[in-house]
Amino acid sequence: MDEHRIVIIGFSGSGKSTMARQLGEKYGCKVLHLDCVHWMPGWTERDKDDRERIVSGFLDENESWVIDGTYRSVCLKRRFDGATHIIILHFPMYICLFRVFRRYFMYRGKSRESMTAGCRERISVEFLWWVLY
């Protein structure tokens, strides 16, 4: 079996998680959504050392993998150096914002599969600021 180590980065709403899931299914790879690593239930940020430990463990345990999310502070060099493919999803901001709002209305009051359980879908001012700038 060919090894696939795929990093997917892009703005919120660009389709990273959807593409990660599809590529994981296609290649039979484990998928790690960095949003699940960063956030604990109730939108509480996980400690940086714990995030590093989780991602390092995932990389150590899997020969083939797909990781979606930018999170520059979490094993960025190791993820990029180990990747066989790096996919950058770069869509116009209006498309990403449309997808963010569509996602909000689809999952409102629920946690989506690419997010930590207990993190109900939301749109906050801080989030929109991050997306826009």
Side-chain angles (χ1 to χ4, degrees):
M1 176 174 128
D2 290 337
E3 289 183 15
H4 294 87
R5 294 179 304 276
I6 303 168
V7 170
I8 305 171
I9 62 172
F11 293 122
S12 295
S14 63
K16 298 180 302 294
S17 297
T18 300
M19 179 176 274
R21 180 181 41 79
Q22 292 170 344
L23 290 173
E25 289 171 3
K26 179 176 181 171
Y27 296 120
C29 299
K30 294 283 187 177
V31 175
L32 181 65
H33 302 287
L34 291 183
D35 279 342
C36 291
V37 174
H38 185 84
W39 297 106
M40 295 189 306
W43 295 101
T44 303
E45 288 186 75
R46 188 180 308 273
D47 177 79
K48 184 180 185 311
D49 291 338
D50 288 342
R51 294 189 309 249
E52 289 278 332
R53 182 185 47 74
I54 292 166
V55 175
S56 288
F58 179 84
L59 293 169
D60 291 342
E61 294 167 11
N62 297 287
E63 291 183 21
S64 293
W65 44 260
V66 180
I67 299 176
D68 87 84
T70 305
Y71 291 99
R72 289 173 264 180
S73 65
V74 182
C75 299
L76 182 71
K77 182 171 176 24
R78 184 168 176 207
R79 286 185 281 142
F80 277 53
D81 287 350
T84 58
H85 299 81
I86 298 172
I87 300 171
I88 301 169
L89 299 178
H90 186 71
F91 292 98
M93 192 55 57
Y94 70 90
I95 290 175
C96 294
L97 279 173
F98 170 78
R99 290 175 177 173
V100 163
F101 281 103
R102 181 180 66 187
R103 180 176 70 200
Y104 170 75
F105 287 108
M106 285 176 60
Y107 292 99
R108 182 178 40 194
K110 299 180 273 187
S111 297
R112 56 189 146 94
E113 63 279 354
S114 61
M115 182 54 73
T116 302
C119 289
R120 294 181 177 182
E121 193 65 31
R122 68 178 186 174
I123 295 178
S124 65
V125 172
E126 295 86 6
F127 174 76
L128 289 176
W129 180 260
W130 176 252
V131 171
L132 293 171
Y133 299 97

